[in-house]
């Protein structure tokens, strides 16, 4: 936002606040010609144009306005910055004082408007929105071919957030081929739980080969990772941690953060039960694809694939594979992962839907012929059936550049 627009908005807020104060017991006609500093000029003579009685009445009125203005400002400050509000209420209660309904509505609007573009509290979690309805709508409209992922994610996140006191953080593990929507969904979850999305101070993204590239430094990585998670949990009552390429994490890194995902024992430690952990991995992709192919060959719709059946197969593959950190860590052995979320391979018509979304995102017109041409650019496997896109929808947005004028 430019400085000019910011100043204009701040000016508008000030004007609204002044109008609010004037309309809720402000100066009115009696105080129009004199300011609250007038009382410092000394007493007015008995026979002066105001008269003693008139002067005392105005002085009392201005004092009341000043006190009311202070109350309005305190209320606005508490709504915006949320500092010292409880202490103030406890130390100096004002029986019978309350904001007029209209004034309270205006202050709610101003505080909400301020927090829409500015940082409104020190804890970092004041911008949590937890818009599950919006998350569900966007998953239904923008995530194609993933009926299992939609169902599991919405139910798991909604149930977790509605729980007044969860026993442990929510841990979800996304599995499937590249381009099937794992990163897309993780970012969508962040954008619907936090006003600032991935830029929120309460969201942390870790990419295995980028943040932890060398195994010889794993001890240093462990200390850094635990420190960042602990600091984020202390800053935010609700945190989101995303681990991309999780299968490439060293198993000791996974074990190092295991205590943050375990059941809370309440021994004077930081309460991390309001945290959500998302692990994104290509592991299990082949198993998922085999199940989807078997259903297709049997003439059954992919929507008939159940989460329970596929999750059981996924667990077996992850436990048997000794080449990944998952199998060697304690996350699976101690059942710390709440849900394994399978992402099915995408078919031709799913790729066309991704292409349509890419055109719409850029505000570009499209035709069915153009969508077909984009889909035909992709590589499909297996060799005989050519049923599934080998890249999912990963490069679709780049391929529509061929259609730009």
């Amino acid at each position: 936002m430019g400085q000019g627009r910011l100043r204009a908005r701040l000016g508008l807020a000030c004007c609204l606040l002044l109008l609010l104060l004037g309309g809720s017991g402000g100066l009115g006609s009696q105080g129009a010609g004199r300011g609250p500093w007038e009382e410092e000029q000394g007493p007015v003579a008995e026979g002066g144009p105001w008269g003693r009685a008139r002067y005392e009445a105005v002085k009392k009125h201005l004092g009341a306005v000043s006190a009311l203005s202070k109350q309005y400002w305190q209320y606005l400050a508490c709504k915006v910055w949320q500092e010292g509000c409880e202490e103030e209420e406890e130390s100096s209660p004002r029986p019978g004082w309350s904001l007029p309904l209209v004034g309270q509505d205006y202050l709610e609007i101003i505080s909400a408007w301020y927090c829409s573009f500015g940082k409104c509290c020190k804890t970092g979690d004041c911008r949590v929105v937890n818009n599950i309805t919006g998350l569900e709508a966007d998953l239904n409209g923008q995530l194609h071919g993933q009926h299992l992922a939609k169902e599991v994610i919405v139910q798991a996140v909604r149930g977790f957030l509605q729980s007044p006191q969860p026993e442990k953080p929510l841990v979800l593990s996304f599995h499937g081929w590249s381009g099937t929507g794992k990163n897309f969904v993780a970012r969508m979850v962040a954008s619907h739980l936090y006003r600032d999305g991935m830029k929120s101070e309460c969201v942390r993204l870790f990419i295995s080969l980028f943040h932890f590239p060398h195994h010889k430094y794993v001890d240093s990585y462990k200390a850094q990772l635990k420190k960042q998670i602990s600091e984020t949990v202390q800053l935010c009552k609700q945190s989101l941690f995303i681990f991309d390429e999780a299968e490439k994490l060293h198993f000791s890194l996974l074990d190092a953060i295991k205590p943050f995902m375990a059941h809370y024992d309440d021994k004077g430690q930081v309460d991390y039960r309001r945290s959500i952990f998302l692990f994104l991995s290509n592991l299990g992709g082949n198993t998922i694809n085999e199940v989807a192919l078997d259903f297709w060959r049997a003439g059954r719709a992919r929507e008939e694939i159940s989460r329970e059946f596929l999750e059981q197969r996924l667990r077996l593959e992850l436990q048997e594979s000794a080449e990944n950190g998952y199998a060697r860590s304690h996350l699976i052995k101690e059942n710390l992962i709440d849900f394994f979320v399978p992402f099915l391979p995408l078919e031709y018509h799913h790729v066309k839907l991704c292409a349509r979304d890419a055109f719409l995102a850029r505000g570009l017109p499209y035709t069915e012929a153009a969508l077909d041409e984009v889909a035909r650019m992709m590589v499909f496997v297996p060799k005989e059936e050519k049923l599934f896109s080998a890249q999912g929808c990963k490069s679709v947005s780049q391929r529509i550049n061929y259609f730009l004028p």
Side-chain angles (χ1 to χ4, degrees), residues 323-386:
E323 298 178 358
N324 63 80
Y326 265 53
R328 299 176 63 185
S329 74
H330 289 81
L331 296 186
I332 296 178
K333 295 176 183 177
E334 299 184 18
N335 295 313
L336 296 180
I337 297 176
D338 299 299
F339 295 97
F340 290 90
V341 184
F343 282 73
L344 300 171
L346 300 182
E347 301 175 13
Y348 185 89
H349 64 283
H350 300 132
V351 176
K352 286 183 62 177
L353 291 173
C354 292
R356 180 205 64 186
D357 292 347
F359 276 106
L360 292 174
R362 296 197 191 185
L364 298 173
Y366 66 88
T367 63
E368 281 296 317
L371 300 184
D372 277 315
E373 189 168 347
V374 172
R376 283 196 297 268
M377 292 180 182
M378 310 298 284
V379 176
F380 287 84
V381 293
K383 189 175 181 179
E384 297 79 17
E385 292 88 351
K386 293 186 177 180

Side-chain angles (χ1 to χ4, degrees), residues 5 36 53 72 79 96-97 100 125 160 162 176 188 210 213 233 242 244 250 277-278 284 308 354 371 373 380 384:
R5 291 180 64 191
Y72 273 109
K79 291 297 293 180
W97 185 89
D125 60 354
F160 176 75
Q162 290 179 348
M188 190 182 291
F210 180 77
V233 171
I242 303 170
D244 195 9
H250 194 278
F277 289 83
L278 303 182
E308 294 78 13
C354 292
L371 300 184
E373 189 168 347
F380 287 84
E384 297 79 17

Side-chain angles (χ1 to χ4, degrees), residues 24 64 108 252 292 317 322 395:
S24 303
E108 294 283 356
S252 63
E317 178 180 341
S395 62

